[in-house]
Structures are given as structure tokens and as C-alpha cells.
Amino acid sequence: MCIRDRYSYQMEQLLFPQLYTWDNNLNTIPWAADGMPQVTNGGATYVIKIKPNLSWSDGTPIDATTFAYSLNRVLDPCVKGGAPGSAAYFITAIKGAAAFNGSTCTAAAGALNPVDGQTLVGKSIIATDSHTLTIDLQQPAAYFLKALTTSAAMAVPQQLIEKYGWKAWTDHLADNQLSGNLFGVKLWDHKGHIDFVRNDGFKNFGLGANPILKEVDTTIYQSGDAAYADYNNGREDIGAIPTSDYSAAKTRSDFHQGPTLTMGYIAPNWNIAPFNNVDARRAFALAVNKQLIADSVLKGTVIASNHFIPAGNPGYNSALQGVDNAPLTGDETKAKAYMAKYVAEACSGSISKCPVVNFYDNNDPSELPVTSALMAQWNTVLAGYPIKAHNVSFSDLINLAYGPAAAQPQLLAIGYAVDFPDPWDWTSLQAEPTSSTNFFHINDTAATALMTAADVNQDQTSRFQQYDQAEQLLVQDVGWITLDQSKQFWLQNAKLHNFAFDSNLFPSMSQWQTAYLSA
């Protein structure tokens, strides 16, 4: 699969079996894999046994060949699995994957199911036999097992793709309620409704019991207010809570909340003045009162933070310090000192000669107060520095972040949600200069050395320490101006049991298997 957002993942995890998944404590556990992998060659070769008797609901086997095809398809340049935010990022550790994924598609224009002339199947992705998948990496990647819990390692139905084509095949999932996992698609109207029906053949796969729920009906809402209203009117069993209603909702008996592995931050572009200068980055970072924004603007719906790696994620460093050991309220005196130094050295001593900063944020009504608070803080502390705020749609914001370097802004407010719970996802993926997701050109030499060493380190204790040290350097040099760690909160019908969202934003497979509605 090549999805780009967590909302789609909530749907696809019900349909397509992945090699590994997570338990309720975010531990990696086998799903379609028959046990944990045999890791050899110093951590560069993974041998994975596939459970016997797996099949799609139409009877087509799901075996090592299926997973080899599916992994290769994610990387195939014709499928565009390397598009920003897609699953291909997580498996480019496979030998030859980065070059393959970054090449130009050789398939004929207009092909129903374009497939590149190259392939990694039989080279570094090998179905040794029907139940044995061997994956060779370019070099050891200590995070790779957890990467196999993502969309990249899900089986996809080759028989459907070849029949209907690489774009249209998903429109036919409901034809026969095709599934290789817990549920199949019953209805997808492309108007905001996707209904799933239990795959009663699932228990025969050797993956555990069928779900208790016979059907899961989902609605995709245009706004949190609409979702909240429908829940309160009895149309939904799980309800979103708009930020404005958070305080009142907390008193309800059906209220649920917990931290998420999600960070909100401001991204300074290290390639564009003034943020190509560490003094300017530190001045802007230290001028922000994160605690005030979390408490007074966002009303306690987030947790103010200095971290790249969120609390609850493996490798979280509770001892991490802010820029110059500043508290979450910032440090106006140091911010002014750093700005004065920058102005003297880079702006001929006159703040009016400094580069104008164009700051981009989401124009969602819930985000605009944060933009106003940030602008007020910067204008107060960095008095006279020229800053302009631009509120754009979320899609435009994503296009700015993921777009060509020439079109990227100097400063952008955005967030990041966990892909899989490993510190690599928050450090190396975000900040190594060679990472294709380092959109704002972070280039911290000392941090990079630590991250690249940690990426291949097979000893988890020392590996996590290396990531923690790298994170501290990234905070001090302001790779991000981190604002907060998000909370997730929702309303849940008291008749729905054994269901919750884990801190990685999704219910576990065991929760989907055991959830039920009482009368």
C-alpha cells in the first residue's frame, strides 16, 4: 500500500494483513508472519516465515510470494510509492530499494497496471519458498522490524490489481467484500461513507478468532463540529470532540483521553535566511512561551514539550533540556540576545535590513488562535523583526512542506504523527541530511553522526542513548521549534466494550477482535 495519511491507515488495517503488528503496549508482534524473524548477516538479512493457510476471501493464497510482490510494488517507481508521506520511506533500507524507488518508471504510458522493468523480487526481496520470505538490507537497520508494522508490509491482492489496474482496483474491493484480514468492504460510496463487514473466513487463517462485531460503519466528516453533533444525536458510537468543547466534554461519563505519539512543531528552513543561522533559530525558539499556548490558547488539549521524541515512544528522554536549558515558558532575555547578535552580524546592525520572515500556518479555525499567539510573542520579544503570517488550507500547507525546495517557505507550522514506535522515526527520518523526508534541510553534523551510528546499532540500550544525544543536539540547534505533544480525546458509547485508541492513534488488532456492542 502507498497511503499518505493516518486516516486511511485506520481503514486499510482492517482489510490487508501485515507481516507484523503491535499489541496494546505497542510491542511488535507477528501477524501474518509465523513468529519473529531470523536476523543474520550482522542485522542485514531478515528471514521471515509466513503462516500457512492464509488466503484472500476469494480463496487466493497469501504467501511469501504475495508479500514479495507487495513490498516490491510499494517501491516500484510506476506506483509512486515514494510520494511524500507514503509507506515506501519505511522500507528503503532494503538493498537497492532507494535507487529503485527513485528511478523513472519504464512502463508504457497509459498502461492499466504499470510495472517497472526492474524489480527487487528475487534479488533483495526473495520468496525462498511459499512460506519463507528473505529480505536483504543495504546495511543493518535496527528499526527495520518495526517498519514492517506499516502499510509498506501489508499484502495487497495482485489478482485484483492486475484485473482492474493500479488506480481502480480499490474501487472493486466491495464487489465480493474481498479481504485478507478481519473485515471486508461492504460499501464505499466515495461520499464519506465506508462500511466494513466481518470476514467470517478469518478464523481459518491461523491469526486468531473472528471479530465479535459483525459490521463497522464509518463516516468521514468535513468538520469536528459535525462529527460531535452526530454523536450527541445518537448516530455514532464514537465521537470526535472539537477543541472548543474539550473542557465541557471532560466532565462526561463517556469521555476518554490519552497522550498520542504526535508532535506539533514549527519548522525553520535551514536553507533560507534568517534560519540558515543558528542564532536566528534560537531567538525565534526562545521567544515562544509554549506553556502559555498549551494552557491558555489550546485549553489543555495538548502537552507543552521541547522534544522531538514524544513521551510514551521508546527512547523518550525525560531529562532532555530546551534550548539553553530554557523552560517551556521560553526565555525572553536570551531570545533578545541571540537576535541582537544575528542583527549585528547578518543585517548590518539594523533589524529593518533583516530578511522578512514569511510564516505559514493552517487556516483551520482551531489553528488560527495559535498563529495569533505566536505572532504576538515574536512581535513582543523580537520587537521590530519583520514577520508576515500566511494562513493557507491544510492541503496547501502539505504541498508547501513536501513541494520543491524553491517553493518551500522559511517557516511553517505543522505536525507529525508516529509511523511506528521507534526513535528512528523521530530523529533520523526527520533530520538526517540524506533522508528524503528532511524537507527543511536540517544539517547538524554532530547529531547526524550519532543518528547514523544508532541506525545500525544492534544493541538497543546504547542505540537509544545515541538517539537521545542526537535529539538533544537537534533541540539545542533548533531543528524544530517543538510546541506540544497532542492528546487524543473522544466520546464513546457505554455500550461499546473492549475498544480504545492506543497512543499510536489506532486500535490494536486484538481490540478489533474483542470489541463488542452490548444491548
Side-chain angles (χ1 to χ4, degrees), residues 257-434:
Q257 78 168 353
T260 66
L261 304 184
T262 306
M263 302 302 293
Y265 64 93
I266 301 163
N269 194 322
W270 283 38
N271 272 5
I272 306 176
F275 301 113
N276 57 354
N277 183 292
V278 68
D279 293 326
R281 295 197 300 270
R282 288 173 181 164
F284 272 76
L286 288 165
V288 175
N289 186 332
K290 305 174 184 183
Q291 196 66 60
L292 180 67
I293 292 173
D295 294 343
S296 299
V297 179
L298 295 175
K299 309 298 182 184
T301 60
V302 299
I303 304 163
S305 176
N306 290 319
H307 291 74
F308 273 54
I309 303 171
N313 195 90
Y316 174 75
N317 178 15
S318 60
L320 180 133
Q321 299 294 317
V323 177
D324 284 2
N325 299 327
L328 291 167
T329 51
D331 190 318
E332 293 188 12
T333 301
K334 288 183 178 179
K336 291 176 180 177
Y338 276 120
M339 182 51 68
K341 184 171 181 286
Y342 175 74
V343 171
E345 296 177 356
C347 307
S348 303
S350 173
I351 202 167
S352 64
K353 296 180 180 179
C354 290
V356 175
V357 167
N358 289 288
F359 172 52
Y360 287 80
D361 199 359
N362 187 3
N363 64 5
D364 184 280
S366 65
E367 299 292 335
L368 294 177
V370 177
T371 303
S372 297
L374 287 166
M375 290 295 291
Q377 291 176 5
W378 284 327
N379 287 328
T380 299
V381 179
L382 309 177
Y385 197 95
I387 312 171
K388 295 180 180 179
H390 304 269
N391 305 119
V392 299
S393 69
F394 182 70
S395 61
D396 286 343
L397 196 71
I398 295 300
N399 288 334
L400 283 168
Y402 292 163
Q408 288 176 334
Q410 296 150 296
L411 197 64
L412 182 146
I414 200 164
Y416 193 79
V418 66
D419 300 301
F420 50 88
D422 189 273
W424 175 88
D425 195 39
W426 297 98
T427 54
S428 301
L429 185 65
Q430 310 299 330
E432 284 188 2
T434 57

Side-chain angles (χ1 to χ4, degrees), residues 52-131:
N53 303 320
L54 300 182
S55 69
W56 298 103
S57 51
D58 66 359
T60 304
I62 298 174
D63 55 18
T65 301
T66 310
F67 281 101
Y69 165 82
S70 302
L71 287 164
N72 187 78
R73 181 177 178 275
V74 168
L75 295 165
D76 192 315
C78 299
V79 183
K80 306 297 183 185
S86 70
Y89 289 146
F90 313 129
I91 58 171
T92 50
I94 295 173
K95 190 174 182 179
F100 178 43
N101 185 241
S103 63
T104 301
C105 175
T106 61
L112 179 68
N113 181 33
V115 177
D116 193 77
Q118 303 180 69
T119 181
L120 299 181
V121 175
K123 299 174 183 176
S124 53
I125 305 174
I126 306 163
T128 309
D129 57 51
S130 61
H131 297 296

Side-chain angles (χ1 to χ4, degrees), residues 11-12 14-17 55-62 155-161 164 169-187 195-199 205:
M11 310 295 178
E12 69 174 357
L14 302 178
L15 304 172
F16 309 110
S55 69
W56 298 103
S57 51
D58 66 359
T60 304
I62 298 174
V156 293
Q158 183 175 359
Q159 69 275 25
L160 211 61
I161 296 168
Y164 295 109
W169 70 273
T170 54
D171 294 331
H172 296 272
L173 287 170
D175 291 356
N176 299 297
Q177 299 175 359
L178 185 73
S179 175
N181 215 355
L182 297 167
F183 293 88
V185 176
K186 177 182 178 182
L187 167 72
D195 298 343
F196 299 88
V197 64
R198 182 173 65 195
N199 176 13
F205 295 174

Side-chain angles (χ1 to χ4, degrees), residues 190-208:
H190 294 274
K191 297 179 182 178
H193 300 95
I194 307 178
D195 298 343
F196 299 88
V197 64
R198 182 173 65 195
N199 176 13
D200 285 329
F202 176 80
K203 64 183 179 182
N204 298 323
F205 295 174
L207 298 178

